[in-house]
Amino acid sequence: MEIKSGHSSPVMTDTPPISNSRLTIRQNRLLCSSAALSQNNNLLLTVPRKKTGILDDVKSCGWLDAMKSSSPPPAILNKDSISSDASYREWTLKYPSALTSFEKIMSFAKGKRIALFLDYDGTLSPIVEEPDCAYMSSAMRTAVQNVAKYFPIAIISGRSRDKVCEFVGLSELYYAGSHGMDIMSPAGESLNHEHLSRTVSVNEQGKDVNLFQPASEFLPMIDKVLCSLVEITKDIKGVKVEDNKFCISVHYRNVEEKNWTLVAQRVDYVIRTYPKLRLTHGRKVLEIRPVIDWDKGKAVTFLLESLGLNNCDDVLPIYVGDDRTDEDAFKVLRDGPNHGYGILVSAVPKDTNAFYSLRDPSEVMEFLKSLVTWKRSMV
């Protein structure tokens, strides 16, 4: 596997996670107060001479449409009509429920080693209005912990690694934050890779952990953009700018729809002078990431290689996720040498690279429990 970023040294030594509050902007980030901003005017909000920002699926002329299409209103998501049920049933003919198809999946898994990859928001926890309150239930935590007794598990999230670690609270898992750009092994486990280097850090318990951070060189740039976004959106009611270390999320879930265009324009204004950053969108969130050949699919491949499970006929990778960013991982398991099953978590029909589907986190928990029951029956 190669990382293509046009720069060297993809790995940096991480500092131990901050213990007092990992649900806010990290203390070692640039201060985003008016005083700090006034001292750094040369870094912030300069009028661009030309537009050089890289926009992926969000185009400057179609921001509002893109934001609406990725953010169906609750009335649609919760609609319990005959037509919507019929549409969902038709969709599940192509993407069957992983619960009703469980025996079929396990018949393929027999004699194989399962490696499980899980998204967090919308998969292990419900989507909530306030991102900092996306807690997983104790029952879900127990379900994940029980599965981890039998199979290696990695949580791959757009959140910062520190945040998702705190939310999940299980030290025996692998964690990949910032859409896979910040990977950490459990204490005592390694991230051995033939071609890519990693570094060693210390976790909160004082134990050695392995880190892999392919976008570390972008951190100073992301710091500057983070402060600019906080300042330029502070007068838009409901906006939340979230520091996810190697990427930035601008949440507009609590913004009145009439102001969505304004949010888009402000974000575009900040990043247009940063050609090394790109913009994508998810469910009521705009995300700024480094331009690097890395995504959740690459993270899955890296973890399989590090675990010695890459290109093995006796390995079955399973990835469960709900977001458009999970499609990269679904595609890797569908089309790549590490053939496995993607499972999309969705209550509405969507185009996807996944093989199977689950409606919501409650069904994800049932799937996890079924895995444990199946494994115990094989002993």
Side-chain angles (χ1 to χ4, degrees), residues 118-133:
L118 302 168
D119 184 25
Y120 183 76
D121 292 276
T123 300
L124 298 180
S125 72
I127 298 294
V128 295
E129 295 298 314
E130 177 52 54
D132 286 350
C133 297

mmCIF file of all heavy atoms in Angstrom, residues 118-133:
data_model
loop_
_atom_site.group_PDB
_atom_site.id
_atom_site.type_symbol
_atom_site.label_atom_id
_atom_site.label_comp_id
_atom_site.label_asym_id
_atom_site.label_seq_id
_atom_site.Cartn_x
_atom_site.Cartn_y
_atom_site.Cartn_z
ATOM 1 N N LEU A 118 -16.399 -1.318 12.576
ATOM 2 C CA LEU A 118 -17.648 -0.643 12.917
ATOM 3 C C LEU A 118 -17.482 0.870 12.859
ATOM 4 O O LEU A 118 -16.509 1.419 13.390
ATOM 5 C CB LEU A 118 -18.093 -1.029 14.334
ATOM 6 C CG LEU A 118 -18.310 -2.523 14.626
ATOM 7 C CD1 LEU A 118 -18.457 -2.740 16.126
ATOM 8 C CD2 LEU A 118 -19.535 -3.037 13.876
ATOM 9 N N ASP A 119 -18.430 1.537 12.213
ATOM 10 C CA ASP A 119 -18.532 2.984 12.328
ATOM 11 C C ASP A 119 -19.112 3.295 13.711
ATOM 12 O O ASP A 119 -19.549 2.382 14.425
ATOM 13 C CB ASP A 119 -19.445 3.509 11.213
ATOM 14 C CG ASP A 119 -19.535 5.023 11.192
ATOM 15 O OD1 ASP A 119 -18.602 5.687 11.666
ATOM 16 O OD2 ASP A 119 -20.558 5.542 10.697
ATOM 17 N N TYR A 120 -19.124 4.553 14.083
ATOM 18 C CA TYR A 120 -19.686 4.893 15.403
ATOM 19 C C TYR A 120 -21.050 5.576 15.286
ATOM 20 O O TYR A 120 -22.064 4.974 15.562
ATOM 21 C CB TYR A 120 -18.714 5.776 16.192
ATOM 22 C CG TYR A 120 -19.252 6.066 17.584
ATOM 23 C CD1 TYR A 120 -19.206 5.092 18.574
ATOM 24 C CD2 TYR A 120 -19.854 7.287 17.885
ATOM 25 C CE1 TYR A 120 -19.743 5.319 19.833
ATOM 26 C CE2 TYR A 120 -20.383 7.535 19.145
ATOM 27 C CZ TYR A 120 -20.335 6.546 20.106
ATOM 28 O OH TYR A 120 -20.883 6.777 21.341
ATOM 29 N N ASP A 121 -21.066 6.845 14.872
ATOM 30 C CA ASP A 121 -22.330 7.589 14.814
ATOM 31 C C ASP A 121 -23.299 6.939 13.832
ATOM 32 O O ASP A 121 -22.955 6.685 12.680
ATOM 33 C CB ASP A 121 -22.064 9.039 14.396
ATOM 34 C CG ASP A 121 -21.306 9.810 15.451
ATOM 35 O OD1 ASP A 121 -21.952 10.324 16.385
ATOM 36 O OD2 ASP A 121 -20.067 9.895 15.353
ATOM 37 N N GLY A 122 -24.518 6.697 14.289
ATOM 38 C CA GLY A 122 -25.525 6.091 13.423
ATOM 39 C C GLY A 122 -25.410 4.585 13.315
ATOM 40 O O GLY A 122 -26.273 3.941 12.704
ATOM 41 N N THR A 123 -24.354 4.028 13.910
ATOM 42 C CA THR A 123 -24.128 2.577 13.875
ATOM 43 C C THR A 123 -24.143 2.003 15.289
ATOM 44 O O THR A 123 -24.950 1.130 15.609
ATOM 45 C CB THR A 123 -22.800 2.252 13.177
ATOM 46 O OG1 THR A 123 -22.834 2.751 11.834
ATOM 47 C CG2 THR A 123 -22.549 0.746 13.152
ATOM 48 N N LEU A 124 -23.260 2.510 16.137
ATOM 49 C CA LEU A 124 -23.245 2.089 17.534
ATOM 50 C C LEU A 124 -24.040 3.039 18.423
ATOM 51 O O LEU A 124 -24.436 2.676 19.532
ATOM 52 C CB LEU A 124 -21.805 2.007 18.048
ATOM 53 C CG LEU A 124 -20.903 0.991 17.342
ATOM 54 C CD1 LEU A 124 -19.502 1.020 17.944
ATOM 55 C CD2 LEU A 124 -21.486 -0.412 17.406
ATOM 56 N N SER A 125 -24.244 4.238 17.954
ATOM 57 C CA SER A 125 -25.050 5.220 18.685
ATOM 58 C C SER A 125 -26.017 5.877 17.717
ATOM 59 O O SER A 125 -25.746 5.940 16.513
ATOM 60 C CB SER A 125 -24.159 6.290 19.322
ATOM 61 O OG SER A 125 -23.642 7.156 18.320
ATOM 62 N N PRO A 126 -27.148 6.371 18.201
ATOM 63 C CA PRO A 126 -28.088 7.048 17.310
ATOM 64 C C PRO A 126 -27.556 8.408 16.875
ATOM 65 O O PRO A 126 -26.713 9.006 17.549
ATOM 66 C CB PRO A 126 -29.351 7.197 18.175
ATOM 67 C CG PRO A 126 -28.836 7.209 19.585
ATOM 68 C CD PRO A 126 -27.638 6.303 19.589
ATOM 69 N N ILE A 127 -28.035 8.892 15.745
ATOM 70 C CA ILE A 127 -27.730 10.257 15.323
ATOM 71 C C ILE A 127 -28.518 11.203 16.220
ATOM 72 O O ILE A 127 -29.733 11.068 16.380
ATOM 73 C CB ILE A 127 -28.112 10.484 13.847
ATOM 74 C CG1 ILE A 127 -27.307 9.554 12.935
ATOM 75 C CG2 ILE A 127 -27.898 11.944 13.463
ATOM 76 C CD1 ILE A 127 -25.820 9.829 12.912
ATOM 77 N N VAL A 128 -27.830 12.163 16.833
ATOM 78 C CA VAL A 128 -28.477 13.084 17.766
ATOM 79 C C VAL A 128 -28.257 14.531 17.311
ATOM 80 O O VAL A 128 -27.391 14.810 16.481
ATOM 81 C CB VAL A 128 -27.935 12.889 19.201
ATOM 82 C CG1 VAL A 128 -28.295 11.502 19.721
ATOM 83 C CG2 VAL A 128 -26.422 13.098 19.251
ATOM 84 N N GLU A 129 -29.062 15.426 17.884
ATOM 85 C CA GLU A 129 -28.974 16.835 17.511
ATOM 86 C C GLU A 129 -27.648 17.454 17.944
ATOM 87 O O GLU A 129 -27.076 18.271 17.238
ATOM 88 C CB GLU A 129 -30.139 17.613 18.141
ATOM 89 C CG GLU A 129 -31.518 17.202 17.618
ATOM 90 C CD GLU A 129 -31.661 17.451 16.135
ATOM 91 O OE1 GLU A 129 -31.271 18.546 15.663
ATOM 92 O OE2 GLU A 129 -32.147 16.552 15.428
ATOM 93 N N GLU A 130 -27.159 17.072 19.105
ATOM 94 C CA GLU A 130 -25.916 17.617 19.639
ATOM 95 C C GLU A 130 -24.801 16.579 19.515
ATOM 96 O O GLU A 130 -24.835 15.546 20.193
ATOM 97 C CB GLU A 130 -26.104 18.010 21.108
ATOM 98 C CG GLU A 130 -24.854 18.517 21.788
ATOM 99 C CD GLU A 130 -24.160 19.633 21.016
ATOM 100 O OE1 GLU A 130 -24.824 20.641 20.701
ATOM 101 O OE2 GLU A 130 -22.948 19.483 20.727
ATOM 102 N N PRO A 131 -23.822 16.790 18.636
ATOM 103 C CA PRO A 131 -22.769 15.784 18.388
ATOM 104 C C PRO A 131 -22.045 15.328 19.651
ATOM 105 O O PRO A 131 -21.635 14.174 19.747
ATOM 106 C CB PRO A 131 -21.822 16.503 17.427
ATOM 107 C CG PRO A 131 -22.657 17.541 16.749
ATOM 108 C CD PRO A 131 -23.648 17.990 17.784
ATOM 109 N N ASP A 132 -21.880 16.217 20.629
ATOM 110 C CA ASP A 132 -21.158 15.847 21.843
ATOM 111 C C ASP A 132 -21.956 14.916 22.747
ATOM 112 O O ASP A 132 -21.434 14.428 23.756
ATOM 113 C CB ASP A 132 -20.779 17.103 22.634
ATOM 114 C CG ASP A 132 -19.637 17.868 21.981
ATOM 115 O OD1 ASP A 132 -19.030 17.327 21.032
ATOM 116 O OD2 ASP A 132 -19.357 19.007 22.417
ATOM 117 N N CYS A 133 -23.211 14.682 22.412
ATOM 118 C CA CYS A 133 -24.076 13.828 23.233
ATOM 119 C C CYS A 133 -24.408 12.508 22.544
ATOM 120 O O CYS A 133 -25.416 11.866 22.873
ATOM 121 C CB CYS A 133 -25.363 14.571 23.585
ATOM 122 S SG CYS A 133 -25.099 16.050 24.595
#
